[in-house]
Amino acid sequence: MISEWVLPAVVCAPVTWVCLIFRFREDGRLLGTVRSAGLTVAVVLWTSGMAAVASGLLLPHASSVPPVAVGAAAGWGVAPRGRAEQSGDKSAVMAVLTLGNSLLLHQLALRLRTDRAEWCERMAGGFRDCWDLDAFADGVRHHLLQRVDAPGRPVRLRTQLKKEINERHNEVQMAAQRWITVETKVEKACQHHARPATREEVRRVRRAFGEAEQYLVCLLELAHAHGKRSDADRLLELKRRHLSCVAMEQMAGGSSVKA
C-alpha cells in the first residue's frame, strides 16, 4: 500500500514543485498572492494524487515499473514542453497521467499574469508630477542594471537584458517629456487667456500622463520578471522616497509663500 500509493505521491510533489518553478520562472511568483499559492498547491496535490492513482492501478499489471519512476514521471509532466514533444505520443501519455493539470496550469498562468499586472499598476500609480515619475524610473533602471550581472547568467543574456532595460527606460523618459510639454503648454495658454483648461486640454494632459504611467508599468514588468521577492520592498521604499520628496517640497513651498 505504501510503496504503491504513498511513495509515488511523495516523490511526485517535490518534482512537480521544481518543474513549476522552472515553467513559470519568468511569469511571476508562485507564492506571491493567496490565489496563486492556492492554485500552485492545487497543481501539486492533483499531480501527486494522479501519480498515486496511476501507480496503484498500473503496478499490479506492470510489476517491473518502480513506484518512484511513476511519481517522477507524473511530476515531470508539468514541465514546459517543446513543440516537437507536444505533438508526440509522449505528450499524450503525460496528459493522461496528469488529468486535470491542463486546466489548473492554465488558471495558474492567468493568475500569475494578473498578479504581475496588478503589482506593476500599484507600483506605477500615485505619481502626480512627471519629474518624480521620471526620477523613480531612473531608480528602477539603476536597480535592474545592478542585478543583471548575476553569477551563472550567460553574457548574451546579460547584454540582451541591459538593452531591454535601457530601451524601456528611454520610453519612460520620452513619455514623461511629452507629458510635461503638453502640461506646460496648457498651463501657459490658461494663464495667457486667464481661463480654466478646456475639456480637450484636460484630455490631452491625462492622455500624456497615462502614456507615461503605462511605459513605467512596462519597465516595472522587467523588475517583476527578473527580480526577487525582496526586491519588491526595495522598489516600494524607492517609490516612497520620491513621493515623500514631493510632500517635502510642497511643504517647503508653502512655508516660503507664508514667509
Side-chain angles (χ1 to χ4, degrees):
M1 176 67 180
I2 295 179
S3 62
E4 293 183 1
W5 294 80
V6 179
L7 184 59
V10 172
V11 173
C12 180
V15 175
T16 303
W17 171 251
V18 173
C19 291
L20 286 176
I21 294 177
F22 179 73
R23 184 187 186 109
F24 298 107
R25 63 189 182 279
E26 293 184 359
D27 294 330
R29 301 176 180 90
L30 297 176
L31 304 179
T33 62
V34 176
R35 292 184 178 180
S36 61
L39 285 170
T40 301
V41 173
V43 172
V44 174
L45 293 178
W46 181 271
T47 308
S48 300
M50 289 299 99
V53 172
S55 177
L57 298 178
L58 177 65
L59 290 183
H61 304 283
S63 58
S64 60
V65 180
V68 174
V70 177
W76 186 254
V78 302
R81 303 291 176 181
R83 294 183 178 179
E85 294 181 355
Q86 288 178 355
S87 59
D89 295 336
K90 184 178 180 180
S91 173
V93 174
M94 289 296 101
V96 173
L97 201 59
T98 57
L99 289 174
N101 267 11
S102 58
L103 177 61
L104 289 174
L105 290 172
H106 178 68
Q107 293 299 322
L108 179 58
L110 292 178
R111 171 47 50 184
L112 292 178
R113 294 174 187 173
T114 302
D115 291 344
R116 172 182 293 182
E118 292 177 350
W119 181 85
C120 293
E121 289 174 358
R122 288 196 306 269
M123 193 66 67
F127 293 97
R128 292 296 177 265
D129 187 278
C130 67
W131 305 112
D132 300 298
L133 184 145
D134 191 19
F136 176 65
D138 288 337
V140 174
R141 171 182 173 273
H142 181 69
H143 173 87
L144 291 174
L145 290 177
Q146 283 185 324
R147 286 153 179 77
V148 167
D149 297 325
R153 178 171 289 172
V155 177
R156 182 178 180 181
L157 181 58
R158 297 181 188 182
T159 304
Q160 181 180 355
L161 286 176
K162 289 180 180 179
K163 180 180 178 181
E164 189 173 5
I165 291 169
N166 289 324
E167 287 178 350
R168 295 197 180 185
H169 176 255
N170 290 335
E171 291 174 349
V172 178
Q173 281 189 322
M174 291 186 293
Q177 184 60 45
R178 289 194 296 268
W179 176 16
I180 188 58
T181 301
V182 173
E183 193 174 42
T184 302
K185 289 182 178 180
V186 171
E187 289 179 353
K188 288 183 177 180
C190 293
Q191 292 176 359
H192 180 72
H193 298 285
R195 60 170 177 80
T198 63
R199 294 183 62 181
E200 176 62 23
E201 291 172 337
V202 172
R203 185 187 64 82
R204 283 187 293 162
V205 172
R206 288 180 178 177
R207 174 181 292 180
F209 162 72
E211 289 179 355
E213 193 175 60
Q214 185 58 41
Y215 280 119
L216 179 59
V217 167
C218 295
L219 177 63
L220 288 168
E221 286 179 351
L222 294 179
H224 191 276
H226 303 287
K228 299 179 180 179
R229 295 186 64 180
S230 58
D231 292 342
D233 296 332
R234 297 286 299 273
L235 292 175
L236 183 59
E237 181 62 27
L238 180 63
K239 177 183 177 180
R240 289 173 178 171
R241 191 186 312 163
H242 288 289
L243 291 179
S244 63
C245 288
V246 176
M248 291 176 62
E249 290 176 0
Q250 290 178 347
M251 291 177 61
S255 61
S256 63
V257 170
K258 293 180 181 179

